Amino acid sequence: MSETATGTRNRRDHRVWTSGMCWLYCRQTGPVLWLGSVAAAGLETGIYGCEMCIAELEHMVRVAVTERDARQGYAPTG
């Protein structure tokens, strides 16, 4: 299922995972994926998420987009 190599974890989707702290909900240390940059108080750094927290974030995005599209009269796809 996964392959481990020198601090990175490559999955079927070819995303590169590394060891670190999840910056999303659980704040646990383990395999994390870089999600992008975040800026706060004039500072900028990378934000990372674990597999479970990324799944929750993706769910929240899907719900928000579905609700927004329904308000705007778009039919759901897929």
Side-chain angles (χ1 to χ4, degrees), residues 7 9 29 33:
R9 192 166 157 184
T29 300
L33 179 67

Side-chain angles (χ1 to χ4, degrees), residues 12-45:
R12 291 184 197 149
D13 60 8
H14 304 290
R15 297 186 292 183
V16 178
W17 296 74
T18 189
S19 293
M21 186 184 82
C22 176
W23 282 54
L24 297 177
Y25 312 108
C26 73
R27 300 182 69 176
Q28 298 292 315
T29 300
V32 292
L33 179 67
W34 182 78
L35 299 173
S37 296
V38 62
L43 303 171
E44 185 176 337
T45 190

